[in-house]
Amino acid sequence: MKTSTWVKLIIVLLVVAIFGAYTLPTIVGKKNAKYVSELFGGILPTDTINLGLDLKGGMHLVLGVETDKAVFAVLSRAVNNLQQQLLNAKIAADHVIPSGKDATIKIYLVDPKDTDKAVNIIMDNFPNYKIISQGQPIVIKLKEQIVAKIKKQAVEQAINVIRNRVNQFGVTEPTVVKAGEDHIVVDLPGIKNANRAVKLLGETARLELHLVDDSVSVADALNGNLPPDDEILYEIKRDPTTGEITKVPFVVKKEPVITGDMITNAHVMFGGPLNQPYVAFELNSEGAKIFADFTATHIGKRLAIVLDNVIYSAPVIQSRIGGGRGEITGNFTLEEAHDLALVLRSGSLPAPVKILQKVTIGPSLGKISIDKGKKAMIFGSLAVILFMIFYYRLSGLLADFAMALNIVIIFGTMVMLHATLTLPGLAGIALTVGMAVDANVLIYERIREELLIGRSVHDAVNTGYARAFITILDANITTLIVALILYQFGSGPVKGFGITMAIGLLANIFTAVTFTKTVFDIVLEKFRPQRLSI
Amino acid sequence: MVQIVKPGILIDFVSKFKLAVSISIILIVVGIGHLIIKGPKLGIEFKGGTSIQVEFDKPIKVTQLRNAIKDSRIFSDSRIQNIGSSNKRFIIYTKVSTSSTTKSIEDTLKPLLKSKFGDTFKILEVDMVGPKIGKEFRDKGIIAIVLSLIAILIYISLRFQYRFAFGAILALIHDVLITVGFLSLFGYEFTLDVVAAILTIVGYSVNDTIVIFDRIREKVKSNRKLSNVEAINQGISETLSRTVLTAGTTLFVVLALFLFGGHALKGMSFALLVGIISGTYSSIFIASPVLLLFKGQLIPEKKEVDSTDRFKQQIEFDIKQRGG
């Protein structure tokens, strides 16, 4: 044989070996693959192909972080600060209104003559703000790069918190990734209780301890006589027998005593007369000191435990509480207590999240899809395989081998790249099977033509391959362009379609041209046939 | 040797151009007209909403299911689709979506079904898309289609002269319109998968056309005495067996997907089915005869040899060198 044929043969065998090794575990199963790999000293890959959620069941969530609310929180703190400073400077402000949407604060002064003084205070003390209007009201705006930073941090922090929660929830191979500017995509394969997971991930989990203001009657406050530094929050009580929900209003101080970021740990405990579950939490040293000092000076008062603006309980402070420990009681089920402890441990979200998209696929549906997809692929491929043999005889069989090799390369590459096989991805493979033989059809038709005009077998094969090559390139490039665009702009399953098509088309050039040509070369050199089975 | 198309056959495709155009125009007008009058049936990915797939242990009637859920505010104007023929699997579509992380739509559905059917049902799939992200998907889909068209346009313009590019793009638009029209006529929803299928058709259609154009060009260059009509007819005829074979093998698999791939792949495989048939038809009957709409020679003589031709000449040269 010629050296060039040897080189080609070695390349082909290498490709078959490498991609075959990566595809094998998916076919024989992980366990068998491990066994086989050990026989070879553990050098063989044992990873199987990654199945998409549509094939193995699970939940796909797209969460949107409400970054405006994170901006609003920063503005609110500035508003408090500003009101204090204006008060110190004896400037009376009617009201000061923050707006998270456009990151502005509007300041309505009682006396317009104070405007200059107020503006000076703002310029001196609030370097992060631009003054937009000096009229009535004064409008100041948080600088854009600061807003962008707050939003970015809010999303990053939210991802960390959610990742934390997902990891503690105990799902195998979860993914939490950022998508676009403020989206978080969470994939939880094989999850059983999807609703519980959603609740757990979406909980803002902002825990705060507020002093109950006993100096104001609740009825008064509800009628509008609410002191400016107080707010009304509700305790939601659920009757365990009737399931009836009652809302009990409380007047509490706006400024929290303790906030969730001071919590270092939380876990479920049991206690009380009914041995009910409750959540015990621990504070960091700063929180512990504040808590001890505060409880020492407020004995006999009530402290409301507020989670996401809902009061869980408002126990009376009996004595100074040292050691930085506290507990949250309520009518928890064990599951609820467990989840509450989990979200407290993993920290609070910097801004609320909303569900933008939720796809839950039961494992049985995934199995149906796999079975049907497999069936379709087998029927389709079988039809193509038989047809090729019928039409092109031995050469058709060779094209079938090329097609099989193409599928092996697709699977192998996907395992290597840790790409995910989805249902449309399976369709993509099936489609590639149909198109894979196209290259060989082009070549074989050309060879037949060349044979018809009287060329020798050797020449006909060479000319056929050479002439068809450009056309094959063209054909694959146009489809490849589309496949790449699909990969870039598609989401989830459609991405899977794009990637299998792209790999299939690239592999096609190798399998349909290089691989089959090598076999032809060997046959032509070894046997010098006078006729071709084509 | 098995042959679908006899070698050396010459069919006068060009003379069928007017007939082909009439058929295409009728199909497009009917399909797109239907789409415009009825409006596109968008999947929930694009318009937002919730779809819930339920499976019952025993066959039930759609009306039973409708009665069970119609009193709920969420499901009052929902649409129910029966999957397969067993009367066991249904998809319930509602326009409502919720962004709340605490209360889900399936939580509302479960007790409704439970009170009527007991524990004989299972929720297989819930797909909830908020209106905001629906718009994002829509935008992305449009960007993807436009980008593909531009990319293909650039590619064809680089590879062929203007009249070929014009023919290929006309055929491509033809295929997309036919597919979209048929999807609408047969009541399929436009989902992300279907958009992916349409894009694939774009690729397939061009690929098919290019193979034929390549041959027409080769014909003209090898024999300058050929008339335009002769060159086109010969080009199509000589590649006819390949065209039929490739369409055939691709159709085998797509048909298998359509018949056995299950509900999830129905829309996508239907689009591919129509698109591939249309793509094959249009490259023969539309794209090539369109070349005649321009006056003058198909490929003007003495035009600078493009890179592909140079490549081909190189190959020819190599073959000769090797002693062919």
Side-chain angles (χ1 to χ4, degrees), chain B residues 29-76:
Chain B
V29 166
V30 170
I32 298 300
H34 186 269
L35 181 78
I36 291 169
I37 293 165
K38 292 260 170 171
K41 214 165 144 187
L42 294 180
I44 59 160
E45 296 106 307
F46 293 127
K47 67 177 178 201
T50 307
S51 76
I52 304 175
Q53 196 179 140
V54 212
E55 185 178 43
F56 292 90
D57 294 344
K58 284 176 292 217
I60 64 154
K61 288 206 177 79
V62 180
T63 44
Q64 279 179 289
L65 183 55
R66 193 180 306 280
N67 285 336
I69 61 170
K70 68 168 186 223
D71 291 333
S72 154
R73 197 178 45 82
I74 290 179
F75 297 105
S76 57

Side-chain angles (χ1 to χ4, degrees), chain A residues 356 358 360 362 438 445 467 474, chain B residues 124 130 155 159 241 246 316:
Chain A
L356 300 178
K358 183 182 87 174
T360 328
D438 175 44
E445 284 301 301
R467 287 247 165 100
D474 263 337
Chain B
L124 293 182
Y155 186 75
R159 290 279 288 107
S241 66
T246 298
E316 298 264 346

Side-chain angles (χ1 to χ4, degrees), chain A residues 509-527:
Chain A
I509 295 174
F510 175 80
T511 57
V513 183
T514 315
F515 168 71
T516 58
K517 182 70 173 28
T518 309
V519 176
F520 267 111
D521 280 351
I522 294 172
V523 171
L524 292 184
E525 283 177 37
K526 281 262 162 203
F527 304 104

Side-chain angles (χ1 to χ4, degrees), chain A residues 211-281:
Chain A
L211 182 67
V212 176
D213 192 348
D214 291 323
S215 64
V216 187
S217 97
V218 175
D220 251 18
L222 286 173
N223 283 330
N225 287 326
L226 189 67
D229 55 344
D230 280 359
E231 61 183 339
I232 299 174
L233 292 176
Y234 293 88
E235 181 181 6
I236 294 176
K237 279 189 171 159
R238 196 178 53 215
D239 192 308
T241 45
T242 60
E244 202 184 328
I245 288 170
T246 45
K247 287 168 106 182
V248 185
F250 280 83
V251 178
V252 299
K253 289 281 176 200
K254 252 188 198 165
E255 190 73 27
V257 183
I258 297 285
T259 52
D261 50 357
M262 298 173 185
I263 291 178
T264 56
N265 200 359
H267 47 267
V268 182
M269 304 274 271
F270 295 89
L274 295 167
N275 206 29
Q276 273 189 316
Y278 65 90
V279 175
F281 61 85

Side-chain angles (χ1 to χ4, degrees), chain A residues 200-218:
Chain A
L200 197 75
L201 297 188
E203 197 124 49
T204 312
R206 194 161 46 87
L207 182 81
E208 287 172 352
L209 306 189
H210 289 258
L211 182 67
V212 176
D213 192 348
D214 291 323
S215 64
V216 187
S217 97
V218 175

Side-chain angles (χ1 to χ4, degrees), chain A residues 23-43:
Chain A
T23 309
L24 194 70
T26 307
I27 300 168
V28 300
K30 211 169 187 145
K31 240 187 222 149
N32 294 333
K34 273 208 179 107
Y35 177 73
V36 174
S37 178
E38 270 161 27
L39 289 182
F40 286 89
I43 52 154

